[in-house]
Amino acid sequence: MLRQSLCGCPLATALLLCCTPLAASAQLVWQEEPALAPARNPFVSESALSGSGATPGPEPASPGLVWVADLEPAPLTVADPPVDNPEPVAAQPALSPDDLAALLLEPYAPPNLGGGVPSAYVANWGDFYVQASAGVGGGRDLSDGDFDAAFSAGLGFGNERRNLAVELRWNVASFKNFNSNGSFDVAMARTLIDQPRLQVSVAGGIFDVYAYRQAPSSETIPAATGFGVVSVALPLRKPNFRFNQVLQISLGVGGRDFAALDENFEGSDVSLFGAIGVEVTPNVGLSAGVSGRGANLNLSYTPFREVPIAINLLAADVFNQSPFGTVGVFTVSWGDNFRRGLF
């Protein structure tokens, strides 16, 4: 028979593997070959075959090596679908031309939203600032040349979002008589909530923690004044790359520097204070503050994108409630870009 004869001939087996399409997916296994029917002898009659004396047919082939089809699945190809069928990933929307242009631009330094009273944002590690201020009003007569300005500088340590930030500030009250009167302030802040749509921070500090006076100044050394404040900041617009419009609200309590004074400059030792401010544009902020010394209005402007310069115009005690009267203060600062929540 053909299968039996080919199994004993290596050359015939090789030709069969090469010419048969199914040979590439076959494997050599042990399988019992089915019994073969006896071959018909043309020289023996049918009756002889059916009789009791019939010659038995050939014995069935013994089990041996046979070729059977390979039942293993074919290997996956590039066109095959994945097995697990993962959920489709939503395509990210393309940025609009305005968003792309805003993303590539250097952002403005944020304007000040403090309203002329302390907020819970202080300098962190790597933050520093220097600023110069000049005031008019308050009963001062500038016609006789009685004009002066003040100077301050500060730097930060720590990180208020991770643990605690500490800011140290040095104040010089006179440019004319430089360093004849000065003081140091300290403030500490901690961020309690730092979410994409809400930031809450708390801070405390002491003004004039150390003060000094020397000639020609004849002023008395002021007493230290403590304060504590909570600030809340949140964006008013949906998240975008152009303008989130931050709103900032602060509420605190402070010592004598915040308390109302009578005509003899006497008053209580403690007072509440608060402020609210909002960004009008990405580089313009408008804020208002109130304490026992009266109400303040502050306009803050950061003119440059790549230079951290801020310009502040403050009207203190706009309703002329304190013995000092209404005072206008013009301040230019470098690096003071951390006075509000960032989004």
Side-chain angles (χ1 to χ4, degrees):
M1 292 185 297
L2 177 61
R3 180 177 295 180
Q4 286 179 324
S5 62
L6 288 179
C7 289
C9 179
L11 178 59
T13 303
L15 291 175
L16 180 62
L17 291 174
C18 295
C19 299
T20 305
L22 297 177
S25 63
Q27 60 180 349
L28 193 61
V29 299
W30 284 100
Q31 180 173 327
E32 184 174 346
E33 187 173 316
L36 298 177
R40 187 172 185 273
N41 191 339
F43 300 100
V44 180
S45 63
E46 292 292 329
S47 59
L49 290 173
S50 60
S52 59
T55 304
E59 293 293 330
S62 61
L65 290 171
V66 294
W67 290 97
V68 296
D70 187 358
L71 300 179
E72 295 182 2
L76 292 176
T77 62
V78 176
D80 291 322
V83 177
D84 296 332
N85 295 324
E87 293 293 332
V89 178
Q92 296 293 332
L95 294 178
S96 67
D98 291 339
D99 285 341
L100 183 58
L103 184 62
L104 296 176
L105 284 175
E106 184 75 17
Y108 285 104
N112 189 310
L113 303 179
V117 297
S119 71
Y121 298 102
V122 303
N124 286 242
W125 181 261
D127 294 334
F128 71 94
Y129 63 94
V130 292
Q131 63 184 26
S133 302
V136 295
R140 299 175 59 185
D141 184 6
L142 302 182
S143 60
D144 58 356
D146 184 17
F147 180 80
D148 205 349
F151 166 86
S152 64
L155 72 163
F157 304 89
N159 189 311
E160 66 179 284
R161 287 180 170 83
R162 294 180 182 175
N163 37 64
L164 189 68
V166 179
E167 176 185 320
L168 299 178
R169 179 170 58 191
W170 173 44
N171 307 294
V172 176
S174 174
F175 269 6
K176 282 177 117 177
N177 302 310
F178 187 77
N179 211 28
S180 62
N181 50 1
S183 63
F184 290 89
D185 305 334
V186 62
M188 296 176 289
R190 170 81 166 119
T191 297
L192 303 179
I193 300 175
D194 189 10
Q195 300 295 330
R197 306 291 298 173
L198 175 66
Q199 289 182 358
V200 179
S201 298
V202 60
I206 302 176
F207 294 146
D208 301 323
V209 64
Y210 172 76
Y212 57 92
R213 298 288 186 269
Q214 58 188 20
S217 175
S218 59
E219 299 176 359
T220 58
I221 296 179
T225 300
F227 70 90
V229 58
V230 176
S231 294
V232 177
L234 63 156
L236 298 180
R237 302 188 180 189
K238 294 181 179 179
N240 63 85
F241 297 104
R242 288 166 286 176
F243 182 38
N244 288 311
Q245 194 170 25
V246 175
L247 172 70
Q248 177 177 308
I249 302 172
S250 297
L251 181 64
V253 60
R256 191 173 184 273
D257 286 357
F258 304 93
L261 300 176
D262 58 21
E263 296 180 354
N264 298 319
F265 295 90
E266 297 292 337
S268 62
D269 294 331
V270 65
S271 174
L272 295 175
F273 64 86
I276 183 171
V278 64
E279 290 180 330
V280 181
T281 69
N283 62 330
V284 175
L286 185 63
S287 58
V290 63
S291 71
R293 298 289 178 95
N296 309 324
L297 290 176
N298 185 67
L299 176 66
S300 180
Y301 173 54
T302 55
F304 308 111
R305 289 186 179 271
E306 299 181 357
V307 183
I309 291 180
I311 299 173
N312 289 284
L313 296 175
L314 172 67
D317 189 16
V318 293
F319 300 112
N320 198 22
Q321 294 176 293
S322 73
F324 298 104
T326 303
V327 178
V329 183
F330 174 79
T331 302
V332 178
S333 62
W334 173 285
D336 189 7
N337 60 350
F338 43 84
R339 295 300 179 186
R340 69 150 179 80
L342 300 177
F343 296 94

